[in-house]
Amino acid sequence: MSESLTHRVDFGFIRYANCWEDADILLQALDIKPGDRVLSVASAGDNSFSLLSCNPELVVAVDVNRIQLHLCELKKAAFLLPSHIEFMELLGFAPSDRRRQLFEKVSDGMSALAQAYWKINFEQIEAGIITQGKFEKYFGIFRKWILPCIHGRKKVEKLFAAKSAEEQEVFYRKTWNNWRWRLLFRIFFSKAVMGKYGRDPEFLKEVQLTVSRYIFLKAEKHLEKPAAQKNHFLYHIMLGHFRPQLPHYARPENFENIKTNLHKLQFREGYAQDVLNDISGINVMNLSNIFEYMNPEIFASTVHALVEKSGGHARFAYWNLMVPRRMSVINEKLVYLREVSENLSEADKGFFYNQFIVETKNG
């Protein structure tokens, strides 16, 4: 993300309460080993916590939005609770009438700025913090006002019912894909509506394609496959919760492992490339989809900075959404792992992304 963009975008609130990128394929791509030093774009923090489960030496989660880092601190504090169910309650994965009590148990583990922010904005925690980002509220509008005009609740739940590949495809084509779905989907997920209610219009400036058509075709490809039945992202969009499928960092089997490694996590406000000026030996990078927002000149300068300042044989993983960007096209020291990237892209639960890219540095 460029410095000029941060001056044009309001970062005074939570834009993303969840990471909408698949941690499962990210962990496969980066193949983190003990001793690895990791740079991770923070966003909502989810995937940075997932990286801790691999027992690296260090994870530095960086973001230009201080409020997103306050959210990350809240999630980190939630891991300090004694039990996984308390963690689930505080963050909003499970219903609770004791969120203030749970918050007070762990708030001392947060920075003074984060504590002050959450005390002023505690109603967001009370409402279930994982529902409170601008992007999540955008999906909430779709779920509450648009989807009921297309399909009733029972039909939505039937989308997730166990079916064979053939049955899922027939259900999508014969039952789900009616004219109301096609019309209302393309209106709601248009560039104009998404820019106003979902993502900032500045984030879409480099997009040259028809946004609604692109997202519709990506959704169609996914919804007609059995993988849709167990996609926690899709559960959240359509039903308003992740259960019974949870993001990697929130799964009970990962709770203790992540908690054990919390001391290895640092938060930094700023740009990914600037972190490398202060911390040496970074050899693994989760770059989210930061290149999506950059014009070609800023993209090129950012790539060169990341490559030159990274450790030998560094590994990079990132997503393309609607703007094609590949680091190895810009810098000859990088090798594009085509087969790995294509296989993981095919398995990506973030069905709206165009491509997941994995690259390594030669020396």
Side-chain angles (χ1 to χ4, degrees):
M1 191 174 294
S2 67
E3 187 170 354
S4 61
L5 181 63
T6 60
H7 292 315
R8 301 193 303 269
V9 176
D10 183 2
F11 288 118
F13 56 89
I14 297 173
R15 288 196 167 272
Y16 303 99
N18 305 275
C19 284
W20 291 88
E21 292 147 2
D22 188 352
D24 291 301
I25 67 167
L26 178 66
L27 295 182
Q28 290 183 62
L30 293 178
D31 189 26
I32 293 172
K33 302 289 194 301
D36 282 338
R37 296 168 67 83
V38 185
L39 174 67
S40 179
V41 172
S43 182
D46 309 1
N47 289 356
S48 300
F49 292 117
S50 290
L51 294 168
L52 288 176
S53 70
C54 300
N55 194 30
E57 180 181 312
L58 174 71
V59 173
V60 183
V62 59
D63 208 286
V64 296
N65 185 343
R66 180 179 295 179
I67 309 303
Q68 292 293 150
L69 294 177
H70 292 340
L71 173 62
C72 292
E73 285 201 57
L74 174 64
K75 291 184 177 182
K76 180 181 178 181
F79 277 104
L80 300 177
L81 289 164
S83 68
H84 181 257
I85 185 58
E86 290 172 301
F87 166 91
M88 297 282 281
E89 287 185 44
L90 177 58
L91 298 185
F93 288 101
S96 179
D97 59 3
R98 56 172 181 163
R99 289 194 177 120
R100 184 169 294 278
Q101 175 187 344
L102 294 173
F103 174 77
E104 290 174 353
K105 274 186 178 183
V106 294
S107 60
D108 285 348
M110 301 163 61
S111 69
L113 281 175
Q115 287 184 58
Y117 177 83
W118 289 117
K119 286 176 181 177
I120 294 171
N121 295 279
F122 192 77
E123 72 281 356
Q124 293 182 307
I125 297 176
E126 287 282 27
I129 195 60
I130 62 170
T131 68
Q132 295 300 294
K134 181 180 180 182
F135 201 55
E136 287 75 18
K137 290 179 179 179
Y138 174 59
F139 285 138
I141 295 170
F142 174 77
R143 187 170 55 250
K144 182 176 180 180
W145 300 106
I146 307 300
L147 190 56
C149 297
I150 304 170
H151 296 301
R153 179 79 177 193
K154 288 185 178 179
K155 197 167 289 184
V156 173
E157 291 176 347
K158 192 171 181 181
L159 176 71
F160 297 98
K163 298 182 286 297
S164 68
E166 181 180 359
E167 289 169 338
Q168 184 77 15
E169 183 177 357
V170 169
F171 174 81
Y172 175 79
R173 295 189 178 278
K174 301 285 188 179
T175 303
W176 189 269
N177 188 27
N178 59 30
W179 68 268
R180 294 186 299 276
W181 167 254
R182 294 190 293 272
L183 174 64
L184 294 177
F185 187 103
R186 292 186 179 186
I187 292 173
F188 191 79
F189 291 102
S190 65
K191 188 173 185 177
V193 175
M194 182 180 290
K196 182 174 178 62
Y197 297 105
R199 309 175 80 204
D200 193 282
E202 289 290 336
F203 292 167
L204 300 170
K205 272 200 167 182
E206 294 297 316
V207 176
Q208 302 299 318
L209 46 73
T210 303
V211 171
S212 59
R213 174 173 171 76
Y214 165 82
I215 297 176
F216 180 85
L217 292 175
K218 296 295 288 186
E220 180 171 72
K221 181 180 178 182
H222 187 69
L223 293 177
E224 63 183 17
K225 293 183 177 178
Q229 299 162 17
K230 294 184 177 181
N231 188 329
H232 62 272
F233 293 135
L234 200 58
Y235 265 78
H236 195 292
I237 294 168
M238 299 287 191
L239 297 173
H241 59 76
F242 288 116
R243 302 180 307 275
Q245 314 298 328
L246 290 170
H248 179 276
Y249 85 107
R251 295 171 194 163
E253 62 269 26
N254 298 323
F255 180 71
E256 292 296 336
N257 195 8
I258 293 173
K259 177 187 286 194
T260 299
N261 286 305
L262 282 178
H263 66 285
K264 301 176 180 179
L265 178 64
Q266 296 182 15
F267 297 123
R268 293 292 184 97
E269 183 180 358
Y271 304 98
Q273 61 271 28
D274 292 339
V275 169
L276 302 184
N277 293 327
D278 303 325
I279 300 177
S280 62
I282 296 290
N283 66 324
V284 178
M285 296 192 203
N286 160 37
L287 297 173
S288 181
N289 67 326
I290 61 171
F291 303 135
E292 186 89 6
Y293 315 128
M294 300 177 183
N295 65 39
E297 293 76 22
I298 294 173
F299 169 57
S301 64
T302 302
V303 168
H304 291 314
L306 292 172
V307 173
E308 293 308 314
K309 296 174 184 177
S310 61
H313 304 288
R315 302 187 294 282
F316 304 81
Y318 55 98
W319 281 262
N320 282 181
L321 181 55
M322 291 178 280
V323 180
R325 297 280 190 263
R326 190 183 300 165
M327 295 174 69
S328 55
V329 173
I330 301 296
N331 193 298
E332 62 184 11
K333 291 183 179 180
L334 295 179
V335 176
Y336 171 50
L337 303 183
R338 179 182 299 276
E339 184 175 357
V340 172
S341 299
E342 290 178 351
N343 289 342
L344 291 177
S345 293
E346 189 65 26
D348 194 353
K349 291 184 282 295
F351 58 90
F352 28 80
Y353 285 102
N354 185 46
Q355 190 179 18
F356 178 61
I357 298 174
V358 187
E359 295 176 313
T360 59
K361 178 179 175 182
N362 278 331

